[in-house]
Structure formats: structure tokens, C-alpha cells
């Protein structure tokens, strides 16, 4: 997983890492975004439909071992699970294909993303950082949201707290290109759907919850059996925009099940493992290619820069 060959991408990514680290509750040794989380392990079993879409090994092998991480939003590694700022929640799934060979799916619990480019996202974070309680209105973030409708839509989109990480829907931010044996290319966006369906809590429910209730709930739930999700691909049609994370595809687009995710246990050394693992938004495996979305290189560099810093801490 290298840094980008484009130095401007790396400069923007370093700026994003620094801006995220300036947020409340961040501490060296933790992620500057989605800082609170834990690791699990399990298996992925692909569907017959997946094999028709891509030659990727995890979509063709009988099964693939996986690692996964559930997380809360923000860089505060101690944020209470009931805090509304913990939303959107995140899931990252690593498909382990061999020694030092892997590919990842990363998703969060909203179909929205605030900006098309890393530079815009950095501008947004800097506006947030300059909009303290003593700053008069209109604050920098108010001005930014007033001129960036997709960022405003992200902020205003409902982000309810789930009753369980296993009862949450997760959406991929970026589009990818699946390539099959005949060379046919299909643009997709991932969804990770809970087998038991989505279930959320209201404010009254949250008042009684422990700060770590979601982790504790998973620890109890997983003793009764695997956490099951369905990895699905929303299929783009001609004319759908594939290089802009702020642009949704119509909900009537076909959803194809790529396979079943079964999370079977908590990682024994979760804290150590999540400090070391650096997830990669770019697939880097035959049969799955990045789209032209400019966010991908920036996101990958952010993950790598912050991951290297985390390992050294």
C-alpha cells in the first residue's frame, strides 16, 4: 500500500490527518476518525452471482477468512456509544487472500458523503475548526454549508443510533469496477446489509445506555452464533455518475448479492490488532478496480499516513 505518486494528493491527505487529529478526544496511537472500535474475525462465502461479475479471488474461492472492525465516528477513542456524534458507525472488512495479500471493503452507516474531493473535505474540516462557540454567526462552517449543498445534505441526513452493530446498514462511499473473466466491466457501490434487519433506538432508549453498550451487546450476541451480513453490490446503469461520492444512484438500481459475511468471534488482541492494521480503500486485487473517483487516492493516503503514525505511537 504505497502513498500516491501525486504529491498534491499526499499534501492534502496530511492536511486532513492533521485537521482530524485536532478534533476533541483524539490521542496518539488512535485513528483520527472512527477512533473507537474493536476487531472481529470470520469468513466470507461468495454467491454464484459474484463469480459472474468478477474474477477477484474472494468472489470465486469457496470461502475466505476475514477480519472486520466496527467503529464509532470521530477521533475520540472514548466517545460514549449513545452520543449522537458517534454516528455514522463504520465497518471495515479485510479479505485475507494469502501472506501479505488482501483487499478491503470499507463502509459507513449513511449513504451520504459531504464532498467530492479531498481538498473540499479539508476546507470543511478547517471551517469546523474555526467555528468555535465564541465565533460570531455566520461562522465559517455555516458559510461553507451554505455554498456546498451536498455537505449540508450529509449534515442534515438522519443518523439514528443502532441497537446493535449487527442491526445496522452500511454503505460504501465510492464506486468500484468489477471485471469478469470475459473482461466485462460493471460499476458498483457496496452495501453491507444485516441479516436480521435494521433496528434503531430513540432518545428515551439511549438515556439508559452504558457508554460501551454496543461493544458489550456484540460480545454477548456473538456467543449465541455468528453475526451475519449480506455483501451486496448496487449496479450502475448507463449515465450513472461513478466518480463522485456525493451523487447517489437511483434506489431502483439492481442489487446483487455478492456473498455472506459471517463474523464468528471477537479478536483476542483487538487493541493490538486495530493499532497495527491499516485498511485500504483502494482494492488492489485482480477483478476489482478503482473508479475515477478522486477521493479514493486521498482516502488511501489518509489511512496510510495516520496508520504509520499510529504504529509509531
Amino acid at each position: 500500500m504505497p502513498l500516491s505518486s501525486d504529491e498534491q494528493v499526499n499534501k492534502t491527505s496530511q492536511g486532513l490527518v492533521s485537521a482530524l487529529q485536532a478534533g476533541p478526544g483524539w490521542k496518539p496511537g488512535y485513528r483520527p476518525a472512527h477512533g473507537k472500535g474493536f476487531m472481529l474475525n470470520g469468513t466470507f462465502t461468495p454467491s454464484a452471482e459474484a463469480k459472474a461479475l468478477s474474477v477477484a479471488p474472494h468472489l470465486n474461492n469457496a470461502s475466505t477468512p476475514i477480519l472486520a472492525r466496527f467503529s464509532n465516528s470521530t477521533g475520540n477513542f472514548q466517545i460514549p456509544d449513545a452520543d449522537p456524534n458517534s454516528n455514522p458507525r463504520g465497518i471495515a472488512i479485510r479479505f485475507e487472500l494469502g501472506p501479505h495479500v488482501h483487499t478491503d471493503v470499507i463502509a459507513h452507516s449513511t449513504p451520504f458523503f459531504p464532498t467530492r474531493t479531498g481538498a473540499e473535505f479539508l476546507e470543511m474540516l478547517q471551517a469546523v475548526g474555526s467555528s468555535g462557540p465564541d465565533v460570531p454567526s455566520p461562522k465559517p462552517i455555516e458559510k461553507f454549508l451554505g455554498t456546498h449543498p451536498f455537505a449540508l445534505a450529509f449534515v442534515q441526513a438522519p443518523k439514528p443510533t443502532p441497537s446493535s452493530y449487527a442491526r445496522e446498514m452500511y454503505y460504501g462511499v465510492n464506486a468500484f469496477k468489477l471485471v469478469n473473466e470475459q473482461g466485462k466491466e460493471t460499476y458498483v457501490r457496496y452495501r453491507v446489509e444485516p441479516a436480521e434487519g435494521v433496528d434503531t433506538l430513540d432518545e428515551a432508549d439511549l438515556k439508559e445506555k452504558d457508554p460501551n453498550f454496543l461493544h458489550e451487546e456484540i460480545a454477548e450476541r456473538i456467543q449465541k452464533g455468528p453475526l451475519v451480513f449480506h455483501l451486496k453490490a448496487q449496479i450502475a446503469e448507463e449515465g450513472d455518475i461513478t466518480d463522485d461520492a456525493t451523487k447517489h444512484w437511483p434506489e431502483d438500481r439492481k442489487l446483487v448479492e455478492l456473498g455472506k459475511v459471517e463474523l464468528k468471534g471477537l479478536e483476542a488482541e483487538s487493541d493490538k490488532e486495530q493499532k497495527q492494521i491499516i485498511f485500504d480503500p483502494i482494492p488492489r486485487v485482480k477483478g476489482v478496480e478503482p473508479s475515477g473517483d478522486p477521493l479514493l487516492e486521498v482516502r488511501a493516503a489518509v489511512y496510510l499516513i495516520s496508520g504509520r503514525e499510529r504504529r509509531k505511537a
Side-chain angles (χ1 to χ4, degrees), residues 131-298:
S131 299
D134 297 329
V135 177
S137 186
K139 300 175 187 289
I141 187 57
E142 293 170 345
K143 294 178 181 178
F144 181 88
L145 295 176
T147 57
H148 293 76
F150 295 111
L152 181 63
F154 172 83
V155 170
Q156 293 180 335
K159 302 176 187 70
T161 296
S163 63
S164 170
Y165 285 115
R167 302 294 304 273
E168 182 65 282
M169 171 84 83
Y170 303 91
Y171 301 85
V173 171
N174 310 106
F176 296 95
K177 182 168 60 178
L178 302 183
V179 184
N180 70 8
E181 193 172 7
Q182 291 74 41
K184 182 181 178 181
E185 300 175 348
T186 304
Y187 281 94
V188 304
R189 280 191 176 130
Y190 295 123
R191 293 186 182 183
V192 185
E193 295 189 1
E196 293 188 44
V198 172
D199 185 56
T200 59
L201 302 175
D202 59 27
E203 289 187 20
D205 295 325
L206 293 173
K207 288 179 181 178
E208 306 299 324
K209 293 298 184 182
D210 181 87
N212 300 309
F213 83 91
L214 286 175
H215 189 173
E216 293 165 358
E217 192 277 339
I218 289 294
E220 181 178 340
R221 177 186 288 265
I222 209 165
Q223 293 181 30
K224 303 172 185 176
L227 316 180
V228 179
F229 293 87
H230 299 284
L231 177 62
K232 295 188 176 182
Q234 185 187 28
I235 307 296
E237 295 186 6
E238 186 174 353
D240 288 342
I241 295 172
T242 59
D243 62 354
D244 186 342
T246 68
K247 301 293 178 65
H248 294 177
W249 300 340
E251 276 301 304
D252 62 1
R253 293 296 181 258
K254 184 178 180 181
L255 283 174
V256 173
E257 178 155 356
L258 298 179
K260 182 167 66 173
V261 173
E262 295 180 279
L263 301 176
K264 300 178 179 180
L266 299 174
E267 280 289 283
E269 296 187 270
S270 178
D271 289 345
K272 179 181 178 181
E273 182 70 30
Q274 64 181 346
K275 184 174 182 178
Q276 288 297 313
I277 194 168
I278 302 175
F279 291 103
D280 189 354
I282 295 178
R284 306 185 204 278
V285 65
K286 184 179 180 181
V288 187
E289 299 178 5
S291 64
D293 191 332
L295 270 179
L296 279 166
E297 273 202 288
V298 172

Side-chain angles (χ1 to χ4, degrees), residues 25-96:
W26 176 78
K27 178 182 176 182
Y30 291 87
R31 286 167 170 79
H34 290 270
K36 182 180 182 180
F38 58 95
M39 301 288 298
L40 307 94
N41 56 65
T43 59
F44 173 75
T45 305
S47 67
E49 291 87 349
K51 299 175 183 180
L53 287 171
S54 173
V55 296
H58 61 298
L59 300 180
N60 285 269
N61 295 341
S63 66
T64 298
I66 58 175
L67 288 173
R69 182 176 187 262
F70 289 128
S71 62
N72 291 351
S73 190
T74 88
N76 183 352
F77 70 101
Q78 294 179 317
I79 191 169
D81 290 347
D83 188 323
N85 291 316
S86 289
N87 296 302
R89 314 291 162 162
I91 189 171
I93 304 170
R94 169 152 293 179
F95 303 84
E96 299 188 296

